[in-house]
Amino acid sequence: MKYLIYIGLLFLFACEMHEIPQTYDIDITVYYPDTLFNAAPLSNATIEIVNKQTGRKYSQLSDGKGNVHFEVRGGLYDINVSSMQNYLLEIDGDSEYKDLIFNETVFDKKILTATHLNIHTTLTILNTGFVISELYNSGCRTPEGKLYYRDLFIEIYNNSDVTLFADGLCFGNLWYKNTYTPNPLLKPDGSFPPSIACWSYIAVIPGSGSDYPVNPGETFVIALSAINHRDDPNGNINSIDLSKSDFELFIEDGKYVDNPGVLNANMIQIHERPFSKVMVFNVKGQSSIIFKIPDNNFQAFFGDPENYVFPPRSSDRCILVPESWIIDGVENPELNPTVYQRLPNNIDSGYIQHKGTGERVSIKRKIQKVVDGRVVLMDTNNSSNDFLTNQEPTPGVIESE
């Protein structure tokens, strides 16, 4: 009997020592954009909240009044809203059905008491053209443990059902200064300016307009250095083979040798550092965009001094790419609980991080569906939903499952 009483006292003491953590109610109402349907409540939208300290995720669909309810522990949360709906639109006098995306993300929301949020979404039309399908910017390690980052690449995929031409497509890396500190390029009211700042170099695919067709469901790879890094004398056995890339970012008198078997992109220098002869990627995490200049008027764009800017307290000259020219973008910030966006929500309302420098991992776009053998990749303008992280780099390969 004494033994049983002793065990009971221990149990009561343990319960007192391990109290159930405090939880709080979160009620969220989501709406269409202010300019659509009189900002009516948005039903059947996916609302996901993520505890940034623990990584725990909670997800629900909004009801007919746009409402969801969560009960969570106190902490710092990212809250993401995403919905895709098909509507008949009139475009250039023709009627056609288009997938409309309604997104919004609230970053770094402190939940320390019962909370109610009203979230109005942003509208974009689903991109059915080129998308960034894979981005490898982490680099890897040599057998001696040294960082090796000559093997970086971006892969671009034709996500449509028609042949597209890569001629004139531009690729740029966003000015990257610490993504865990506030973006100094925002307007005073916290909104994004109409242009996005890229730096270092802009890579432009050559061609007259129809030289480089990309069929539906096909990719092309742009490599920083298009060699087989595994067996090259100056390479790294732990790296990858980029010798079959479609284009490379070769710069005359630069750091890396030219592979004559791979076409060179046209490299436009943006920064004013004469000693820096390589397109810079941030191996901790690199946000990137692809875009087209109207009428391929490269001279007018790159030759106009008004299109350049120096960010506050920086000597890094950047070029301002109009948001309306951007075809696709991915927000890939450094691995840190705090993230400040470099892309507006209508380009990427979320973000995707990889596990760090030298880890030999890429981010890859998820598969949405397969239509008659053609893979359609996920593209909801939200990298948190659209991408897988910490993947094995596979340049030029799209897995069908």
Side-chain angles (χ1 to χ4, degrees):
M1 177 66 71
K2 290 181 180 179
Y3 178 76
L4 291 175
I5 293 173
Y6 177 68
I7 294 296
L9 289 173
L10 280 178
F11 177 76
L12 290 173
F13 179 74
C15 289
E16 290 177 0
M17 291 292 290
H18 299 281
E19 294 181 358
I20 298 174
Q22 176 71 48
T23 59
Y24 301 97
D25 292 324
I26 306 178
D27 291 289
I28 302 173
T29 306
V30 294
Y31 299 90
Y32 284 100
D34 293 338
T35 56
L36 193 66
F37 306 136
N38 295 317
L42 178 58
S43 62
N44 208 38
T46 300
I47 293 88
E48 181 182 78
I49 63 176
V50 182
N51 186 308
K52 301 190 71 168
Q53 283 86 12
T54 66
R56 186 170 181 180
K57 299 180 180 180
Y58 309 81
S59 181
Q60 290 189 40
L61 293 177
S62 59
D63 63 20
K65 296 182 179 179
N67 296 321
V68 291
H69 173 81
F70 297 94
E71 186 176 337
V72 301
R73 297 181 183 181
L76 194 66
Y77 287 84
D78 285 343
I79 303 169
N80 176 259
V81 181
S82 182
S83 176
M84 184 185 298
Q85 301 176 14
N86 193 257
Y87 283 92
L88 182 64
L89 302 180
E90 187 169 314
I91 302 175
D92 296 330
D94 296 322
S95 296
E96 57 181 304
Y97 282 94
K98 290 285 187 180
D99 288 323
L100 303 186
I101 300 170
F102 302 95
N103 277 332
E104 192 61 46
T105 301
V106 177
F107 293 102
D108 299 328
K109 180 65 179 177
K110 288 183 180 179
I111 303 297
L112 298 175
T113 185
T115 303
H116 182 267
L117 293 174
N118 293 315
I119 301 177
H120 290 257
T121 56
T122 301
L123 166 67
T124 54
I125 297 177
L126 179 66
N127 174 22
T128 56
F130 285 127
V131 295
I132 297 170
S133 50
E134 184 173 4
L135 182 61
Y136 170 60
N137 56 42
S138 72
C140 58
R141 298 282 177 180
T142 66
E144 297 75 30
K146 294 181 180 179
L147 178 61
Y148 184 89
Y149 51 85
R150 301 177 181 182
D151 56 351
L152 312 184
F153 72 86
I154 184 172
E155 177 189 84
I156 298 172
Y157 184 76
N158 180 356
N159 211 30
S160 76
D161 58 0
V162 297
T163 298
L164 302 174
F165 293 90
D167 308 48
L169 190 70
C170 301
F171 159 56
N173 286 331
L174 272 61
W175 184 71
Y176 68 88
K177 295 296 184 181
N178 302 336
T179 51
Y180 51 83
T181 58
N183 185 347
L185 296 173
L186 297 183
K187 294 179 180 179
D189 64 0
S191 63
F192 276 85
S195 298
I196 303 301
C198 291
W199 81 303
S200 185
Y201 285 82
I202 298 293
V204 182
I205 303 301
S208 60
S210 57
D211 293 340
Y212 302 110
V214 183
N215 293 323
E218 291 185 352
T219 72
F220 63 95
V221 174
I222 306 174
L224 182 61
S225 177
I227 62 172
N228 186 343
H229 293 265
R230 293 181 54 81
D231 64 10
D232 188 86
N234 297 315
N236 173 16
I237 188 62
N238 294 334
S239 183
I240 57 178
D241 182 3
L242 286 173
S243 62
K244 298 179 177 62
S245 299
D246 300 278
F247 302 95
E248 69 173 341
L249 305 176
F250 174 74
I251 298 169
E252 197 71 38
D253 300 323
K255 292 182 64 175
Y256 307 130
V257 298
D258 184 19
N259 179 349
V262 175
L263 292 165
N264 293 330
N266 294 327
M267 303 301 293
I268 311 298
Q269 181 174 323
I270 304 303
H271 62 66
E272 295 182 318
R273 302 177 180 183
F275 56 86
S276 183
K277 292 288 187 178
V278 62
M279 186 170 180
V280 177
F281 290 72
N282 185 356
V283 292
K284 297 178 182 179
Q286 178 62 66
S287 299
S288 304
I289 60 172
I290 55 176
F291 63 97
K292 284 293 292 284
I293 298 173
D295 300 321
N296 289 336
N297 199 343
F298 304 113
Q299 181 59 43
F301 177 57
F302 292 114
D304 187 350
E306 295 297 318
N307 292 331
Y308 294 85
V309 66
F310 287 90
R313 298 177 298 281
S314 174
S315 59
D316 298 328
R317 189 174 77 153
C318 300
I319 192 163
L320 298 174
V321 179
E323 182 185 309
S324 60
W325 296 0
I326 296 174
I327 297 171
D328 192 30
V330 56
E331 188 94 54
N332 176 218
E334 300 177 33
L335 187 61
N336 191 287
T338 300
V339 173
Y340 290 90
Q341 289 174 275
R342 296 304 191 256
L343 287 170
N345 281 348
N346 61 319
I347 297 174
D348 193 347
S349 65
Y351 61 86
I352 186 78
Q353 297 168 306
H354 61 65
K355 59 185 176 181
T357 302
E359 294 286 350
R360 195 181 181 273
V361 290
S362 70
I363 58 172
K364 292 182 182 178
R365 198 175 285 271
K366 298 175 185 176
I367 294 174
Q368 179 185 358
K369 58 186 177 181
V370 178
V371 179
D372 297 329
R374 177 177 62 87
V375 171
V376 178
L377 298 180
M378 185 77 73
D379 185 19
T380 65
N381 282 358
N382 185 331
S383 292
S384 303
N385 296 334
D386 296 343
F387 279 83
L388 300 170
T389 189
N390 299 327
Q391 301 294 296
E392 175 73 16
T394 56
V397 177
I398 300 291
E399 292 90 349
S400 59
E401 295 181 357

